Every structure is written in C-alpha cells, then in structure tokens.
Amino acid sequence: MQQEPYRSTIDVHVILEREGEILLLERQGTGYCDGMFQPPSGHLEDGETVIQGAAREAREEVGVHIDPADLRLATVVHYRQRPELTRIGFFFATDRWVGEPYNAEPDECAKILWTDPAVLPSNTIDYPAAGVRAYLAGIPLTTYGWDEPASECR
C-alpha cells in the first residue's frame, strides 16, 4: 500500500516595515485567536505564487499595493499546529508599498498597530511571532511546534 504524500497548508505573512516598526493586526470575529496580533497574512490560493499571495493579502487586509519585486523573503517557518495539521509559512518583508495602511477588513480585524518588532505585544500569536523573531535573527528557516506541542493561540 502506497503512503499518501505529505501535505501542508501554505501561509504567507507580510512584515511591513516603517521607521523601525512593523505593522500588526488584532484579530476579531474569526473564531481563531481573536484578540491576538499577527502581521497581515493568509493562505495561499490556488494558482498563485507565494509572492503574489503575499502582495494580495497585504492589499486585502491593510489596503496597500506592493510590487511583488519589492518583497524579500524574510524567513520560512515550518509549523506543527496539531499532530494532524502542519503549515509552512513564508514571511516576506518590505518597506515599499503604495497607500497608507488601514484596517481594510473591520469584520476580522479590531485594529492595526505599529510596534517595535523586537518587543512584540504579549498577545501576539506564537507562530507569526516565531517568524518575526527568526527574521530579526537572520535565520532563513526555522521550525515551531515540532519539539513540544504548540499552543495555537498563544
């Protein structure tokens, strides 16, 4: 009997940088980690590259237009959310975009916050926080939740 191929959800995260700070969004009304912060992010859609997906998520969530050429790969996080669910998160960083970031999805976002990436709010979701920490440390690839069970909303 042939084993099924490994499958993982692909996520894209965008680290918008301005004057030493990054932009975070506070989740609300989604049923997942509401009240917690994360960078603009989402799932990769069928038929798009991770770079196109990152630019799309930034446009959908905070209303900015990013030329995909202005996105640089910051880090990759292989995250074990639960034993039966893993994710691969591509984190992109940029300090170039068109438009002023705003809360473009008020049904899913309570507010946006510019913050020092080295001192993330205590209620930042651990998975994206791991990506931001890896980026700041210059680590191109890291894992999270594999050595010990990960808390989904911590």
Side-chain angles (χ1 to χ4, degrees), residues 24 36-39 120-129 153-154:
L24 299 178
M36 299 187 77
F37 286 98
Q38 67 180 46
L120 295 173
S122 62
N123 59 334
T124 301
I125 302 170
D126 279 352
Y127 161 43
C153 294
R154 220 358 285 133

Side-chain angles (χ1 to χ4, degrees), residues 11 19 31 44 56 60-61 69 71 73 89 97 99 103 121 137 144-145:
D11 298 323
E19 298 174 7
L44 188 64
R56 175 186 50 77
E60 290 176 357
E61 294 191 356
L71 288 168
L73 184 61
W97 60 83
N103 181 359
Y144 181 74

Side-chain angles (χ1 to χ4, degrees), residues 4-154:
E4 284 291 314
Y6 176 81
R7 300 192 191 288
S8 188
T9 300
I10 305 296
D11 298 323
V12 291
H13 306 258
V14 181
I15 301 171
L16 295 176
E17 303 170 306
R18 180 168 72 185
E19 298 174 7
E21 295 182 320
I22 65 169
L23 185 67
L24 299 178
L25 294 79
E26 183 181 3
R27 298 180 63 89
Q28 79 170 0
T30 68
Y32 176 76
C33 297
D34 291 334
M36 299 187 77
F37 286 98
Q38 67 180 46
S41 63
H43 310 295
L44 188 64
E45 292 183 357
D46 188 33
E48 68 184 356
T49 68
V50 291
I51 297 167
Q52 292 166 334
R56 175 186 50 77
E57 286 294 343
R59 185 178 61 256
E60 290 176 357
E61 294 191 356
V62 295
V64 298
H65 294 271
I66 301 172
D67 181 336
D70 289 330
L71 288 168
R72 62 190 184 282
L73 184 61
T75 192
V76 177
V77 178
H78 193 192
Y79 170 45
R80 187 173 188 191
Q81 189 170 354
R82 297 187 297 273
E84 75 284 0
L85 178 61
T86 62
R87 312 179 87 80
I88 298 174
F90 289 83
F91 288 73
F92 294 92
T94 188
D95 60 0
R96 296 182 57 151
W97 60 83
V98 175
E100 181 61 27
Y102 69 95
N103 181 359
E105 295 183 324
D107 291 343
E108 297 180 5
C109 176
K111 66 181 175 185
I112 63 172
L113 171 74
W114 288 99
T115 189
D116 181 342
V119 187
L120 295 173
S122 62
N123 59 334
T124 301
I125 302 170
D126 279 352
Y127 161 43
V132 171
R133 285 191 302 272
Y135 169 52
L136 293 177
I139 299 169
L141 171 66
T142 191
T143 60
Y144 181 74
W146 289 87
D147 297 327
E148 58 186 59
S151 171
E152 289 187 45
C153 294
R154 220 358 285 133

